[in-house]
Amino acid sequence: MKKILYSFILLSFIAFSCDEFVEPDPKDRITPQIALADLDGAEAFLFSAYNRLHAFNYYGQQFHLTGEALSSNIVIGNNTGRYTGAVVNAVGSHFNLWADPGGGNFHSLYQIINDVNIVIENAEANREEDSDRADVMIAEGRFIRALAHHDLLRAYSYEPGQEVGGFNLGVILRTEAVDAASKADFRPRATNTEVYAAIESDLLAAIADLPSDGNQAAFPDRASASAARALLARVYLYMGRYADAATQADAALNASSVDIVAAADYIASFAATVHPEAIFQINIQAVDWSTVDGVNNSMTTVTKTTSGGAPGSSQGAVRASDELLAAFETGDIRRDLFRNPESADFWESDKWPGELGDFREHIPVIRVSEVLLIAAEAKARSGNDAGALTDVNRLRTNRGLSASTASGSALIDLIMQERRVELCYEGSHYWFDLKRLGLIIPKPASSGVDPLATDDFRRLSRIPPAEIEQHADAGVDLVQNDGY
């Protein structure tokens, strides 16, 4: 992906979730009028938004593994202090996407959202320069804004229809740019359905203006129409709109230029810089590497050990749980991604091999396999067992397994099992699946921790207390999630 060519512009605008506006120093270096006088200036903020996606607390690492530790997919390997709170569901050891806890590799998703809000407003203002380019930039911004808003909802809110005790608050909805101090404000949380409606609107608009895979020069590192359809299918699945989820998933699969990899190529696919199944992914390039650790801090460092051949100072902080390993059927090629170089009970993952060098690796965000499973689940929950079997068996037969003939609830169970083993270590899908369906969340037997009940307050992450206090000081009631 093209990186930030106008990084000096970013000194002008750093909008945090608490809505502070930071001026450049020296203040006469550049002005908003200069920075955003044309589409090049607006595009700099688009590059910034893409760049922030691989922050350590987001797709760089923690968003992939926190949910695995909160459920039953991973346990602590070498105790480095990482994820130790999550494996026991300690208060405050959940997802941290709301606020910047002091800089470094952490970013608030509201910084990402504000970057694209600036893009959308200023691309519109400068569309006479090149209307087609402006339309695509706006569509990319809408895609990223939808992704960030949905990930915030997944961490901090209940899905529609799964509210506990009627608690239906979503997150703060931001659709206007904060590019001057006068525009900064504090506001309460919107309802979950209000935020979902905004996400749907963004993605439908993005689909209309984004290029196809073949016409997106930086595919899959920048958004395409297929990526937007795939994300909308995921969103509809979370909303329980299964017929719509199936429609969008099928459309994404039919329009995409990428396909599922065969069993013989599965292991090698995760060592490819561009994952062959990626509909949308993030790449870490040399310019992003700080020489101490990467911007993404690397999945390799915590999922592999140095003696296992990983680059850099890998720690093997987490390993696969017995429960996850037992979930793979005999003959499943995906089980071969786990190996035990240290001892029989230390199963590390080769899913993140650090193929770009020390602390750097590709980060698939949406893969064809997930979209197939979205289509299968949505069809099964809509009563279309035949269509669901076609989709899930397409996956199974490309993973070394036989086709299934399951139907009804057994078919749904099979699809959810396939989601667990296919998407483990990628985006905490197992945790979010259990949460969105209102199911008990199991814990590994070795942890000695009780499962999370369907009404356990720790199913939602805690909004940073400082955010609550700052809003209160401004006279705005930012309601904390129940139990905190």
Side-chain angles (χ1 to χ4, degrees), residues 71-84:
S71 56
S72 59
N73 274 358
I74 63 174
V75 294
I76 297 301
N78 295 319
N79 191 347
T80 64
R82 292 191 175 187
Y83 303 100
T84 54

Side-chain angles (χ1 to χ4, degrees), residues 46 84 87:
L46 183 60
T84 54
V87 297

Side-chain angles (χ1 to χ4, degrees), residues 371-387:
V371 185
L372 265 177
L373 288 168
I374 290 172
E377 181 185 349
K379 291 170 187 177
R381 294 188 187 279
S382 301
N384 181 5
D385 283 7

Side-chain angles (χ1 to χ4, degrees), residues 194-427:
E194 287 172 337
V195 183
Y196 267 107
I199 293 169
E200 180 185 20
S201 176
D202 269 345
L203 290 173
L204 288 173
I207 290 167
D209 288 329
L210 280 171
S212 63
D213 293 4
N215 292 320
Q216 173 57 281
F219 177 82
D221 300 331
R222 291 177 69 166
S224 66
S226 295
R229 287 190 182 279
L231 180 56
L232 184 56
R234 181 194 288 176
V235 168
Y236 282 148
L237 193 72
Y238 276 71
M239 295 175 73
R241 290 172 54 176
Y242 298 123
D244 291 330
T247 296
Q248 291 298 332
D250 282 345
L253 293 168
N254 291 334
S256 181
S257 60
V258 295
D259 201 353
I260 190 170
V261 299
D265 302 318
Y266 179 78
I267 300 299
S269 71
F270 283 96
T273 299
V274 177
H275 194 287
E277 284 191 5
I279 295 178
F280 179 65
Q281 75 164 26
I282 307 162
N283 267 324
I284 307 301
Q285 298 186 11
V287 69
D288 301 313
W289 188 41
S290 69
T291 74
V292 177
D293 62 10
V295 172
N296 67 329
N297 212 258
S298 186
M299 290 284 289
T300 298
T301 61
V302 293
T303 60
K304 292 172 66 71
T305 61
T306 301
S307 61
S313 56
S314 296
Q315 306 161 350
V318 301
R319 62 180 176 85
S321 68
D322 292 340
E323 287 80 0
L324 174 59
L325 295 174
F328 292 93
E329 296 177 43
T330 301
D332 192 333
I333 190 64
R334 293 169 292 198
R335 177 63 174 77
D336 292 348
L337 278 174
F338 296 89
R339 59 193 185 92
N340 56 339
E342 298 273 336
S343 65
D345 64 349
F346 197 108
W347 290 91
E348 63 178 34
S349 172
D350 275 339
K351 181 169 273 192
W352 300 95
E355 84 293 336
L356 294 177
D358 285 359
F359 298 99
R360 293 186 290 126
E361 54 213 322
H362 66 282
I363 306 174
V365 175
I366 305 174
R367 291 195 293 119
V368 167
S369 295
E370 182 198 350
V371 185
L372 265 177
L373 288 168
I374 290 172
E377 181 185 349
K379 291 170 187 177
R381 294 188 187 279
S382 301
N384 181 5
D385 283 7
L389 274 174
T390 297
D391 292 326
V392 74
N393 283 335
R394 184 178 166 197
L395 177 68
R396 287 175 59 83
T397 55
N398 282 286
R399 297 296 182 260
L401 301 174
S402 61
S404 173
T405 59
S407 62
S409 60
L411 175 56
I412 292 174
D413 290 344
L414 174 69
I415 293 167
M416 301 313 295
Q417 186 80 341
E418 287 293 331
R419 284 183 62 86
R420 182 181 186 182
V421 296
E422 177 67 33
L423 302 175
C424 62
Y425 288 62
E426 297 180 63

Side-chain angles (χ1 to χ4, degrees), residues 150-232:
H150 189 228
D151 287 341
L152 283 164
L153 278 176
R154 293 202 283 169
Y156 295 99
S157 307
Y158 294 114
E159 282 67 42
Q162 296 296 340
E163 298 88 351
V164 174
F167 189 80
N168 69 341
L169 290 183
V171 296
I172 294 174
L173 181 60
R174 291 281 180 191
T175 57
E176 308 88 20
V178 179
D179 56 7
S182 60
K183 295 184 180 180
D185 70 344
F186 292 85
R187 61 182 64 179
R189 299 166 68 173
T191 66
N192 54 2
T193 54
E194 287 172 337
V195 183
Y196 267 107
I199 293 169
E200 180 185 20
S201 176
D202 269 345
L203 290 173
L204 288 173
I207 290 167
D209 288 329
L210 280 171
S212 63
D213 293 4
N215 292 320
Q216 173 57 281
F219 177 82
D221 300 331
R222 291 177 69 166
S224 66
S226 295
R229 287 190 182 279
L231 180 56
L232 184 56

